[in-house]
Amino acid sequence: MDNAEKKQKAIEATHSLSSYAMGTDEVNIVCTYGKISIWYGRQTAAVIVGQTLISISKIDKTAVHETELVCDFDKITEYESSGYILVSYAKTHNGYRAMFNIPFYSNKALYHLAESIIEDLKKDDVHLDIYWNGDDSDIARLSEEFKNIEGWKVKDITYKDEGKHRDAPKP
């Protein structure tokens, strides 16, 4: 590492992150305190969906995705048996509107979530918000974890203090 890189690392260590964007051409992930926003393009391979969810799970087991589904009453227990946690439900004219938390500590729930994302990608892009307790060090660890995915790169970094903004390093 040359002196310029060392100085940049020292500067980064003293500034708190506001957002950190990374991904590939098919996936875009933006990490902030409290939330990870993921966009999966229709061409995203199933293995990439699995790798991203598992990587987040490795860094923060308390992460959770909230989803609302309209289904028959019997399907609610099927979702629960898949690891989803029922938060609330209400009868609607076409079934039941159920709110679930999908915990990242449950491999069964993550597998079921990945399956539903892969199925949805057959029709359209998928946007997913994951709530977590991540801080700067967790974002750095997550970025490091994602580097195992082919074609992965940092796209943009924004710092809180002084509104500093830095584009991703050029390859």
Side-chain angles (χ1 to χ4, degrees), residues 31-168:
C31 294
T32 60
Y33 293 171
K35 185 164 88 170
I36 300 171
S37 296
I38 304 176
W39 169 83
Y40 294 109
R42 289 188 65 199
Q43 301 300 314
T44 306
V47 68
I48 303 293
V49 172
Q51 284 178 306
T52 55
L53 296 177
I54 289 168
S55 292
I56 294 167
S57 163
K58 284 181 182 178
I59 302 304
D60 186 0
K61 294 274 187 209
T62 66
V64 66
H65 169 63
E66 297 174 350
T67 189
E68 180 180 299
L69 302 167
V70 176
C71 58
D72 294 331
F73 186 78
D74 294 340
K75 286 291 274 182
I76 292 174
T77 46
E78 284 182 39
Y79 285 111
E80 287 180 307
S81 68
S82 295
Y84 287 28
I85 298 169
L86 181 64
V87 175
S88 66
Y89 68 95
K91 182 129 176 73
T92 64
H93 65 280
N94 55 346
Y96 285 84
R97 186 179 68 242
M99 291 293 300
F100 292 97
N101 280 344
I102 303 170
F104 275 60
Y105 62 76
S106 168
N107 289 338
K108 185 191 288 191
L110 284 181
Y111 178 79
H112 192 75
L113 175 61
E115 280 186 325
S116 68
I117 291 169
I118 293 163
E119 192 60 34
D120 290 346
L121 285 172
K122 292 177 183 174
K123 298 173 233 134
D124 203 357
D125 297 347
V126 173
H127 297 270
L128 192 72
D129 287 332
I130 299 164
Y131 302 98
W132 74 325
N133 294 313
D135 59 15
D136 288 354
S137 65
D138 293 323
I139 292 171
R141 289 178 32 229
L142 188 58
S143 177
E144 199 57 38
E145 186 72 34
F146 285 146
K147 285 182 182 175
N148 297 323
I149 298 172
E150 186 177 333
W152 201 264
K153 61 187 174 261
V154 174
K155 295 182 176 186
D156 186 64
I157 302 170
T158 306
Y159 296 97
K160 282 183 184 175
D161 29 358
E162 302 173 28
K164 293 190 180 199
H165 176 79
R166 182 172 77 97
D167 290 330

